[in-house]
Amino acid sequence: MSEKKLAANEYLKINSNYLRGTLEESLADITTGAVADDDTQITKFHGFYMQDDRDIRNERKKQKLEPKHTFMLRARIPGGVIGMDQWLAIDEIAKELTDYNSIRLTTRQTFQYHGILKRDLKPLIKGLYQVKLDSIAACGDVNRNVMATTNPIQSQLQKDVYEWSVKISEHLLPKTRAYYELWLDEEKIETSADTEQEPVYGQTYLPRKFKIAVAVPPYNDVDISANDLSFIAIEDENGGLAGFNVAAGGGMGSTHGDVNTYPQLTRVLGFIKPEDTLDFAQAVMLTQRDNGNRYDRKRARTKYTVDDMGVDAFREATEKHAGKKFEPARPYEFTSQADRFGWVQDINGKWHLTVFLEAGRIVDDETRTVKTALREIAKVHKGEYRMTANQNIMISNVAEEDKAEIEGMCHKFGLLGKVISPIMQNSIACVALPTCALAMAESERYLPRLIEKFDVLAEKHGIAEQEIVTRMTGCPNGCGRPFLAEIGMVGKGPGKYNLYLGADGRGTRLNQMYKENIGEEEILAVIDELFARYSKEREADERFGDYVVRAGFVNPVYDGREFHANN
């Protein structure tokens, strides 16, 4: 019987000389704006993807030109905290080294640039490094940007959680020097075939991407169930960190029409003390490294490893790698997966202002001056910015005496003052067209306009005050976490979406498909009917997602293996 063949990416990693590939040659080739095909997979480990502008792809083809190749680069910023000097550099780089002169906040609590020409990749990466930022392992089959709850109300606990997100990120970084050699002119070293270059990852790294979040209940703003590994902070009697419940096997991605792929909720393995955090973070990752599917990339995420092994076996393998046991999990509860907008004050008297950013896009155009606003505020603000996992930004650590000035600037530049509906505030959209190669339909450019029509219906039925988590993605890979939305829309083709309903607004239940492959007219007709029913039939304080489950429109889904049932 022949041995099962590894997925193509596994051979690419083995032959990449620890993520160097032929990138040096690709960058030197001035005959094309692209990099070599194999290198497009290796670049992900360095934090960037090759893309092209799909709006003009056909026109360029008619002119016998290659696609307009550019690159999207994502930064690695654990916990999403940015200093003001760093932000000013980020802003300037967007202006000087990208086509779009924009910054986009992502659902992984960091930012990314679009429209980078090949010749500008190295200057851009160097520019970020000069202000102590990098894009190492922001993409690829490695641990990616580690997220942490941004809400500062529980001041000491939030501070501890943020610091652990940084420690976890640093601990799980690849050890290869390829990034430093290629982009920062570090002297090249000789490498060998052994795995000493990567004592944890080895030559083949992980089977697929690996995502980590650290949450502080009752806030689930980082959506722990969209992550391969999550740490749920447990508060002690003094308001400090007693330890973490460790959970594994969450994730969003699926493939249309393939019932063997599905989103999944994370499963709690047990409780650990703070001093054991790094050991268990590495142990869960090693369990996935050793047991994850390296033959079928569609089934390679940790969620499938947990399902295939079983939770108990996965827990035991993790304990073996860690050399220590989990304690029984401690009780916790999540009440919200949303950001808290407006001013909040922490126990130290500092103020924090979260402002809504439409689809996370930081740009100046005919309707927005967001980029100018954040640049001008950064020139005077004495604290930092905190990017949220919901694509918004917090102007953090504002002293009482500076609060009026910051608020005035936000009004001046339009960050405050405009009425934003609860549905819009609770929305997420992925980038999709025109730059994402996987997008089947619009998302970022379309969702805000569709929500405006949802708002009209909400007003019509007397539920305009109701928060409803609404998310759209251009494809089922799930970058905008659509399967954890009360209303989720996933691109199926131009102007067509699968409509999902029934998540709980707390990030602890999946939704389920209600209508397949429908356009705007039918989406609005469905939402009109459901809003009417919800308005008349809801119970006190009942969320929309809970109502559609109770009323029988969709089933409650607490295990991704039931996600496709009755579809």
Side-chain angles (χ1 to χ4, degrees):
M1 185 173 177
S2 61
E3 189 175 334
K4 205 171 182 181
K5 188 177 180 181
L6 293 171
N9 285 57
E10 296 300 304
Y11 297 104
L12 286 175
K13 288 180 282 187
I14 291 169
N15 296 323
S16 73
N17 189 17
Y18 298 104
L19 308 182
R20 291 167 178 84
T22 59
L23 269 170
E24 189 170 25
E25 293 82 355
S26 284
L27 293 169
D29 183 358
I30 62 173
T31 65
T32 175
V35 297
D37 286 347
D38 287 356
D39 286 334
T40 62
Q41 298 302 314
I42 301 305
T43 62
K44 296 176 184 180
F45 293 82
H46 298 260
F48 60 91
Y49 289 74
M50 188 170 75
Q51 301 179 328
D52 75 282
D53 189 334
R54 293 172 61 180
D55 285 348
I56 61 174
R57 184 186 288 175
N58 289 337
E59 183 59 34
R60 289 181 67 86
K61 188 175 182 179
K62 288 177 186 177
Q63 297 174 19
K64 301 190 184 309
L65 298 171
E66 73 172 4
K68 185 182 178 182
H69 294 296
T70 61
F71 296 84
M72 179 279 288
L73 181 137
R74 186 177 299 142
R76 180 185 67 93
I77 306 173
V81 176
I82 284 285
M84 295 301 90
D85 288 345
Q86 290 175 316
W87 188 263
L88 291 173
I90 292 165
D91 180 276
E92 184 65 17
I93 287 169
K95 176 183 175 183
E96 297 296 330
L97 297 174
T98 76
D99 273 1
Y100 297 106
N101 188 19
S102 73
I103 304 159
R104 192 179 193 281
L105 302 193
T106 82
T107 54
R108 287 218 64 75
Q109 208 174 24
T110 182
F111 73 89
Q112 61 192 38
Y113 294 123
H114 291 263
I116 308 165
L117 297 177
K118 185 169 74 171
R119 66 170 183 258
D120 291 326
L121 280 167
K122 189 167 184 175
L124 188 149
I125 292 172
K126 277 188 169 182
L128 290 177
Y129 200 72
Q130 286 172 359
V131 289
K132 299 180 180 179
L133 296 174
D134 62 60
S135 60
I136 304 167
C139 316
D141 298 346
V142 285
N143 174 54
R144 298 190 176 187
N145 198 53
V146 180
M147 299 198 295
T149 292
T150 53
N151 196 299
I153 293 295
Q154 298 148 300
S155 184
Q156 183 56 48
L157 191 55
Q158 199 282 331
K159 181 174 181 291
D160 290 343
V161 160
Y162 164 69
E163 290 174 354
W164 276 113
S165 75
V166 175
K167 291 174 186 175
I168 293 166
S169 179
E170 295 294 328
H171 184 70
L172 299 181
L173 278 179
K175 298 300 186 284
T176 175
R177 302 305 296 179
Y179 184 89
Y180 302 92
E181 293 173 11
L182 287 164
W183 312 111
L184 303 172
D185 297 323
E186 182 179 281
E187 184 179 353
K188 295 179 178 60
I189 60 172
E190 292 296 323
T191 58
S192 61
D194 63 56
T195 57
E196 286 305 306
Q197 288 289 318
E198 291 290 5
V200 174
Y201 285 106
Q203 281 185 298
T204 50
Y205 295 85
L206 299 180
R208 281 296 299 271
K209 57 190 172 185
F210 192 86
K211 297 179 177 181
I212 298 177
V214 192
V216 181
Y219 305 108
N220 189 20
D221 53 335
V222 294
D223 267 337
I224 64 163
S225 282
N227 291 271
D228 298 76
L229 168 61
S230 290
F231 293 90
I232 304 160
I234 303 299
E235 191 171 5
D236 66 20
E237 62 276 10
N238 300 314
L241 180 65
F244 295 104
N245 282 346
V246 179
M252 289 291 95
S254 65
T255 301
H256 285 317
D258 185 350
V259 297
N260 290 313
T261 67
Y262 48 82
Q264 182 59 286
L265 299 171
T266 194
R267 274 61 58 86
V268 174
L269 302 178
F271 175 83
I272 63 169
K273 294 182 173 62
E275 58 267 27
D276 294 328
T277 301
L278 298 183
D279 289 337
F280 275 102
Q282 180 169 300
V284 171
M285 197 178 77
L286 290 175
T287 303
Q288 165 62 358
R289 182 199 68 183
D290 294 347
N291 297 280
N293 190 324
R294 293 185 183 269
Y295 307 99
D296 180 0
R297 284 181 68 80
K298 290 181 180 180
R299 293 271 308 179
R301 290 289 299 276
T302 311
K303 59 184 175 180
Y304 301 116
T305 309
V306 174
D307 285 347
D308 291 344
M309 293 179 65
V311 175
D312 290 341
F314 191 93
R315 180 188 295 111
E316 290 170 9
T318 297
E319 290 176 333
K320 186 174 180 180
H321 277 300
K324 53 193 77 173
K325 297 280 189 180
F326 289 106
E327 296 179 23
R330 309 240 178 134
Y332 68 94
E333 180 184 18
F334 288 124
T335 59
S336 170
Q337 64 189 133
D339 290 336
R340 293 184 52 158
F341 293 97
W343 288 105
V344 296
Q345 189 175 27
D346 66 30
I347 60 174
N348 298 315
K350 290 294 183 72
W351 290 92
H352 308 263
L353 175 64
T354 302
V355 296
F356 172 78
L357 300 179
E358 185 179 288
R361 183 67 75 176
I362 297 170
V363 65
D364 292 344
D365 57 24
E366 61 275 5
T367 63
R368 295 173 286 188
T369 55
V370 181
K371 191 166 182 287
T372 296
L374 293 177
R375 180 175 65 250
E376 295 305 310
I377 291 170
K379 291 177 181 178
V380 300
H381 180 38
K382 302 180 184 69
E384 67 270 336
Y385 289 153
R386 297 184 189 187
M387 296 173 284
T388 81
N390 290 303
Q391 299 178 304
N392 300 307
I393 201 160
M394 178 187 290
I395 305 168
S396 190
N397 280 320
V398 180
E400 179 73 43
E401 60 269 22
D402 298 325
K403 186 183 173 193
E405 180 183 20
I406 296 297
E407 183 169 331
M409 294 181 76
C410 287
H411 280 286
K412 176 182 176 181
F413 292 108
L415 294 182
L416 293 176
K418 182 181 177 182
V419 176
I420 310 294
S421 75
I423 299 178
M424 189 76 82
Q425 283 187 332
N426 284 270
S427 67
I428 287 177
C430 73
V431 175
L433 298 170
T435 52
C436 179
L438 301 176
M440 302 174 185
E442 295 279 2
S443 182
E444 176 189 316
R445 298 192 294 193
Y446 175 52
L447 180 61
R449 307 293 77 82
L450 182 62
I451 287 179
E452 288 173 358
K453 297 175 182 180
F454 284 7
D455 288 338
V456 171
L457 298 177
E459 186 71 36
K460 169 185 171 183
H461 296 296
I463 59 168
E465 82 294 342
Q466 183 63 47
E467 292 183 356
I468 302 175
V469 176
T470 303
R471 297 171 178 177
M472 176 178 281
T473 58
C475 82
N477 279 351
C479 294
R481 305 195 291 275
F483 305 117
L484 289 169
E486 292 173 280
I487 301 175
M489 290 158 285
V490 176
K492 192 75 182 293
K496 300 289 186 178
Y497 300 85
N498 289 350
L499 176 64
Y500 297 83
L501 302 172
D504 61 8
R506 296 173 284 275
T508 61
R509 184 174 67 224
L510 294 168
N511 54 27
Q512 190 173 53
M513 187 163 67
Y514 182 63
K515 294 286 183 179
E516 184 176 11
N517 199 32
I518 61 175
E520 181 177 298
E521 184 177 353
E522 191 170 354
I523 290 171
L524 292 174
V526 169
I527 296 301
D528 190 14
E529 177 189 358
L530 291 174
F531 279 6
R533 293 276 305 269
Y534 174 58
S535 176
K536 294 174 184 176
E537 301 171 8
R538 61 179 169 165
E539 299 177 348
D541 299 321
E542 185 175 32
R543 295 195 64 105
F544 178 75
D546 292 330
Y547 165 74
V548 296
V549 168
R550 180 176 63 81
F553 292 101
V554 291
N555 295 320
V557 181
Y558 293 100
D559 187 325
R561 289 167 288 189
E562 300 171 359
F563 178 73
H564 296 291
N566 302 321
N567 285 344

